[in-house]
Amino acid sequence: MTDSHAGAIVMTVGGTPPGGDVEDPDAVVREWYDQHYSLISASADGSFFSRYMHRTMERRYGIASSFDRVLEVGGNRAEHLPFVRHGYREYVVSDLFPPILDGAAAADPRVSAVSCDVARLPFRDTAFDRLIATCLLHHVDSPMRAAQEMRRVTRVGGVMTILVPTDPGLAYRFGKAVTSGRAARRAGLAERHRLVAALDHPNHFGSIKEQLRHVFRNDALTIDWWPWRMPSMSLEAFAVFTVVRSC
């Protein structure tokens, strides 16, 4: 999760307001991720779809590649890190909420965690050789501002790898309905699941794509569509934007 959404809304749970409580939208989303995400979502950490997305992002860079300094934005608990095959001297995991490193990531002196907003990254210009963002831009207040910051901290000749789900494309929505949607219905959480989806993805794929094309208009930008490799928001589940900064 990333930038906060302003304001508050009155929610009904089970059809009745619980004592007239006013719920904070960010708290609704955080509660879902804390209590239900790992059991409901098809893209939860460790799931087949999660592994497929992370591996797809790394197809271009094998063990023969190397990037000195790497920044992952919206990195949560560094779930992407085990899929990185290339060499690096430093790997920084950042997120709006303090990232929690454990296991191999916590034991690796090359890996560090920073709490920061992707729209206001606390790093100098051209500080990193590679930047990674997985399923982030649907959540932020301004994808354009986030992309500008990503570009600012990436050196000329450096690479940005940005995965964006094709929500609200037909393939994405169908896949979600028969996986996490079905799991939510079985758990009696269908209404909550729909609410969290609405709160958590305020930006649609078409808008994000055009904002990225604008920010990276002077760079080398490639879009890979998955899983069928057809350039269609309706037919594909996600797209990986690979940007090589040119100037």
Side-chain angles (χ1 to χ4, degrees), residues 126-211:
T126 68
F128 294 94
D129 301 281
R130 187 182 181 206
L131 183 142
I132 300 168
T134 307
C135 298
L136 172 65
L137 295 180
H138 275 298
H139 308 289
V140 301
D141 289 338
S142 171
M144 183 172 167
R145 186 175 296 114
Q148 288 170 335
E149 276 293 273
M150 294 180 196
R151 186 178 191 274
R152 179 185 66 79
V153 301
T154 303
R155 69 168 176 83
V156 175
V159 174
M160 289 160 271
T161 307
I162 304 168
L163 185 145
V164 183
T166 55
D167 190 11
L170 294 177
Y172 176 89
R173 288 297 175 97
F174 175 77
K176 189 168 186 176
V178 299
T179 54
S180 55
R182 180 180 295 174
R185 291 191 296 272
R186 288 174 176 172
L189 295 167
E191 181 180 349
R192 202 66 164 180
H193 181 250
R194 292 193 299 270
L195 170 66
V196 170
L199 292 173
D200 204 28
H201 277 201
N203 308 305
H204 64 81
F205 177 83
S207 173
I208 295 169
K209 176 166 66 72
E210 292 309 314
Q211 291 179 65

Side-chain angles (χ1 to χ4, degrees), residues 15-47:
T16 304
D21 290 346
V22 176
E23 292 186 272
D24 172 35
D26 295 322
V28 170
V29 174
R30 286 197 298 272
E31 178 189 45
W32 179 268
Y33 276 89
D34 290 343
Q35 298 185 15
H36 306 299
Y37 179 76
S38 62
L39 300 176
I40 299 295
S41 178
S43 60
D45 304 326
S47 69

Side-chain angles (χ1 to χ4, degrees), residues 86-148:
H86 64 71
Y88 55 85
R89 179 179 61 83
E90 181 181 3
Y91 193 105
V92 180
V93 182
S94 69
D95 208 324
L96 184 61
F97 299 102
I100 300 174
L101 303 182
D102 53 22
D108 191 336
R110 299 174 300 170
V111 180
S112 61
V114 176
S115 177
C116 61
D117 187 337
V118 66
R120 291 176 289 275
L121 294 173
F123 307 109
R124 63 174 175 80
D125 295 356
T126 68
F128 294 94
D129 301 281
R130 187 182 181 206
L131 183 142
I132 300 168
T134 307
C135 298
L136 172 65
L137 295 180
H138 275 298
H139 308 289
V140 301
D141 289 338
S142 171
M144 183 172 167
R145 186 175 296 114
Q148 288 170 335

Side-chain angles (χ1 to χ4, degrees), residues 39-82:
L39 300 176
I40 299 295
S41 178
S43 60
D45 304 326
S47 69
F48 168 81
F49 192 63
S50 174
R51 296 194 303 273
Y52 179 72
M53 288 194 302
H54 289 298
R55 285 172 180 159
T56 298
M57 293 182 73
E58 295 301 318
R59 287 172 65 93
R60 290 175 177 263
Y61 307 109
I63 57 176
S65 302
S66 183
F67 296 92
D68 196 37
R69 300 190 72 210
V70 181
L71 172 65
E72 183 178 356
V73 291
N76 194 26
R77 296 174 178 265
E79 294 90 351
H80 183 74
L81 184 55

